[in-house]
Amino acid sequence: MTENFIQLKKDNIIRVGIKDQFGNDTGKTLDFDMDDVELPLRYQQLLEEHNKNFKNLRHKFMMIDKRQDVKGKKLLSKNEEDKVKALNEYFKLDMKALDLFLGEGKTQMILDIMGRKPYWNMFEDIGEAISPILEKVFQENMDTTDEKIVEKYKEMIKDQEDILK
């Protein structure tokens, strides 16, 4: 019995290696598909989601601060416990937002390399780490998209020009 299969190709990927805080190569990468026309839109959505998440967190903190605080079951008061829960929810939502652009599970991978759990400046720190590559990724993505569109439709345009003559 012979097996039938197809061979898929995956080209035009920018693969960016990740180093730890000591400059050691971790062997982990972030991969950006230059043929993905939605890449800049997902980055924009990432920023919008982060802003929305922060506004929601700030609103929750304001609501908690307006309540009378009572002793909690353990170390923290009820309001302090609720703030910690709100922060955890905020971190999870920000990780989802970052994964929109970096790829599923990549934010957790970065945190694992750092040996950290989600933390207050996580979004800014990851943003700062990837900022040197963003311009290159977006420029190459736009160039690739433009080239592919021109290449794909140049024959159609040529045929239309021939018809008009």
Side-chain angles (χ1 to χ4, degrees):
M1 180 178 192
T2 62
E3 290 186 40
N4 294 323
F5 62 92
I6 60 172
Q7 178 87 26
L8 301 176
K9 65 178 184 175
K10 187 175 181 182
D11 57 356
N12 208 12
I13 304 291
I14 289 183
R15 185 161 281 120
V16 180
I18 301 175
K19 293 183 177 183
D20 66 15
Q21 65 269 27
F22 306 111
N24 301 317
D25 185 357
T26 63
K28 307 286 186 182
T29 62
L30 297 175
D31 300 337
F32 299 97
D33 185 350
M34 293 300 95
D35 290 334
D36 182 357
V37 296
E38 292 184 352
L39 189 64
L41 297 176
R42 281 199 312 278
Y43 184 73
Q44 181 177 323
Q45 184 179 357
L46 152 70
L47 297 175
E48 291 169 358
E49 290 290 323
H50 171 67
N51 288 334
K52 182 179 84 172
N53 295 341
F54 183 72
K55 286 178 185 176
N56 286 340
L57 176 66
R58 192 174 58 206
H59 178 72
K60 285 180 182 180
F61 270 39
M62 287 177 12
M63 297 303 291
I64 292 169
D65 287 337
K66 289 181 180 182
R67 293 190 319 220
Q68 182 175 351
D69 203 3
V70 294
K71 183 170 174 23
K73 295 177 184 174
K74 296 184 181 177
L75 177 67
L76 301 176
S77 71
K78 174 70 171 128
N79 285 359
E80 290 170 334
E81 287 177 17
D82 288 347
K83 284 182 179 182
V84 170
K85 288 177 185 175
L87 273 171
N88 279 327
E89 183 181 335
Y90 167 74
F91 293 147
K92 286 178 186 175
L93 291 172
D94 254 10
M95 288 177 67
K96 278 176 96 172
L98 283 162
D99 280 353
L100 285 172
F101 181 69
L102 299 175
E104 189 173 334
K106 294 295 185 171
T107 306
Q108 185 61 54
M109 177 191 73
I110 291 169
L111 289 172
D112 291 344
I113 291 168
M114 295 170 71
R116 298 192 75 175
K117 294 188 180 282
Y119 61 100
W120 184 248
N121 288 330
M122 169 185 71
F123 186 88
E124 290 77 11
D125 289 350
I126 293 174
E128 183 180 319
I130 67 170
S131 66
I133 63 160
L134 286 179
E135 186 174 338
K136 179 182 180 192
V137 167
F138 289 140
Q139 189 59 52
E140 192 158 327
N141 178 265
M142 294 306 294
D143 291 346
T144 299
T145 301
D146 290 347
E147 290 169 12
K148 298 257 178 173
I149 290 170
V150 168
E151 184 65 30
K152 184 170 185 167
Y153 294 105
K154 75 179 180 184
E155 287 300 317
M156 183 187 339
I157 293 169
K158 184 180 179 251
D159 291 345
Q160 287 177 353
E161 288 173 352
D162 290 343
I163 290 171
L164 293 174
K165 288 182 180 178

